[in-house]
Amino acid sequence: MADAPALEIEHLSHPANPSLLTIQQHVMREQRRFPNATGEFSWLFSGLTLATKMIAARVRRAGLSDILGSAGATNVQGEVQQKLDVFANETLIESLSWKETIGLIASEENDRLTAVHYGSPGAKYAVVFDPLDGSSNIDVNVSVGTIFSILRCPDGCADDPAKWVLQPGREQVAAGYVLYGSSTMLVYTSGNGVHGFTLEPSIGAYLLSHENIKMPARGPYYSVNEAYRDSFPAPYPAYLDALRRGGLGTKYALRYIGSLVADFHRTLLKGGVFLYPPTADAPGGKLRLMYEANPIAFLAEQAGGVATDGARPILDLVPDAVHQRTPFVVGSRDELELFNRMAAN
């Protein structure tokens, strides 16, 4: 019998197309940085991405279905719930509840923590989220988003949910947001840079579109609700005046959407600064530390930016309540250096 011809092998001469990398593949690739990774984190992340795809589909149909307007109730924050708030919250909880690695869920919309697989030996993570940031804007077709943070159960947390959830922002395993705008985009970090994925609706997958995002060291915009300027404490008014006068060598333009995800997304890509100062009515700030400030601050620092409560790095704050609020200043390095100098005087 004649010998079979040898099979020839052609080696791939170019790297794989990064634009075909899905969020799940990227998360699995990131897990390889940890020798003992078991794939549990990517399985958890699949629950998040599934829920956000469902929310994106509902947002796109908002004007064609009975999903706009108030749900007729208020949440624990005392804010009027929109119908989409309720849908997004329920969808995230339902999708995440199937993941055995999740012990606890904390939502901005709920008064209490939600125990999922709390007490199970395989439950290693808590997920904290704002299901639909900026939802009051949905009726006027303005971009909204979902913000999330993932925390690992520390030693001794099994019988202490407070120890599990009330961790400083530097303990976040991962954080990110999904922006429902002209396209649906997911931006996340697991402590190794910031990466953005755009939802390709024809195949239902998030594909890598913005790899290793770096916030510009200086930007052209500042973002703040100046309607409350008269009640801002020092140094905020003086700082805004300095930006408008060209204190950093350029005169800044004001851009303010009123949806944190949308305002920060612009700041992340274009540079500048976003401010939500304390006011006379909210001296402790208005944004939630765990649901909003911590995940956004983690993203900002990983992209080369800075985030503070006006005096301290946001990620160093130790929360004492799940719904704790905080002042928030986040943005490019140069703008935050100027702010910190003025705040110190």
Side-chain angles (χ1 to χ4, degrees):
M1 180 178 177
D3 292 338
L7 295 178
E8 296 183 357
I9 298 175
E10 180 180 0
H11 292 278
L12 187 67
S13 60
H14 58 83
N17 186 347
S19 67
L20 298 180
L21 190 69
T22 68
I23 179 67
Q24 281 79 15
Q25 291 168 329
H26 193 275
V27 170
M28 291 179 69
R29 188 178 73 176
E30 289 293 291
Q31 284 185 152
R32 297 188 189 128
R33 296 188 294 116
F34 304 97
N36 298 321
T38 61
E40 296 168 338
F41 184 69
S42 59
W43 176 235
L44 179 161
F45 222 87
S46 68
L48 277 170
T49 55
L50 173 61
T52 60
K53 291 174 191 177
M54 296 170 68
I55 296 168
R58 188 61 64 96
V59 169
R60 286 196 303 271
R61 298 186 64 250
L64 302 174
S65 60
D66 184 27
I67 197 64
L68 295 178
S70 168
T74 58
N75 62 15
V76 66
Q77 317 291 338
E79 300 163 340
V80 175
Q81 284 185 312
Q82 305 296 309
K83 294 177 183 178
L84 268 171
D85 282 322
V86 176
F87 174 81
N89 191 48
E90 292 177 348
T91 299
L92 280 160
I93 292 174
E94 177 67 18
S95 296
L96 293 171
S97 66
W98 291 95
K99 308 303 178 182
E100 295 87 353
T101 59
I102 300 176
L104 292 170
I105 291 173
S107 168
E108 184 195 33
E109 296 296 322
N110 295 346
D111 185 16
R112 300 176 180 176
L113 298 176
T114 300
V116 184
H117 298 282
Y118 184 65
S120 169
K124 300 178 180 179
Y125 299 100
V127 182
V128 177
F129 56 79
D130 179 352
L132 203 64
D133 170 72
S135 59
S136 60
N137 287 325
I138 195 71
D139 287 358
V140 291
N141 206 20
V142 171
S143 298
V144 294
T146 296
I147 310 174
F148 62 88
S149 169
I150 300 172
L151 297 161
R152 186 186 296 273
C153 178
D155 292 339
C157 80
D159 299 317
D160 189 352
K163 186 176 181 180
W164 191 339
V165 175
L166 299 179
Q167 301 185 61
R170 296 208 185 277
E171 298 301 322
Q172 293 173 101
V173 175
Y177 61 81
V178 177
L179 177 66
Y180 310 107
S182 55
S183 62
T184 298
M185 187 171 175
L186 186 153
V187 178
Y188 95 106
T189 182
S190 59
N192 188 34
V194 177
H195 309 282
F197 299 78
T198 299
L199 181 62
E200 170 51 81
S202 65
I203 61 174
Y206 284 106
L207 300 180
L208 180 64
S209 56
H210 297 67
E211 187 171 19
N212 199 24
I213 299 170
K214 294 297 183 184
M215 187 184 295
R218 183 180 300 183
Y221 307 119
Y222 73 95
S223 182
V224 66
N225 187 347
E226 287 205 270
Y228 296 103
R229 177 191 169 100
D230 290 345
S231 66
F232 292 166
Y236 293 95
Y239 176 67
L240 298 176
D241 289 341
L243 293 179
R244 284 201 298 267
R245 289 195 308 266
L248 284 173
T250 183
K251 292 185 178 181
Y252 283 66
L254 170 64
R255 296 288 187 273
Y256 185 70
I257 299 170
S259 173
L260 174 60
V261 169
D263 278 311
F264 176 72
H265 188 67
R266 180 194 58 251
T267 305
L268 177 66
L269 298 182
K270 301 294 185 181
V273 59
F274 170 87
L275 308 96
Y276 211 117
T279 63
D281 292 335
K286 188 172 181 181
L287 295 181
R288 267 65 60 160
L289 174 61
M290 295 187 59
Y291 307 109
E292 296 167 317
N294 269 344
I296 295 298
F298 191 15
L299 289 163
E301 288 201 5
Q302 283 292 309
V306 182
T308 173
D309 69 347
R312 301 159 294 176
I314 283 290
L315 296 181
D316 289 344
L317 303 181
V318 180
D320 54 28
V322 174
H323 299 292
Q324 181 177 334
R325 297 177 186 257
T326 181
F328 195 42
V329 184
V330 61
S332 297
R333 184 191 63 227
D334 290 356
E335 283 83 352
L336 267 293
E337 285 181 357
L338 174 62
F339 176 84
N340 287 332
R341 287 200 305 269
M342 297 184 70
N345 293 332

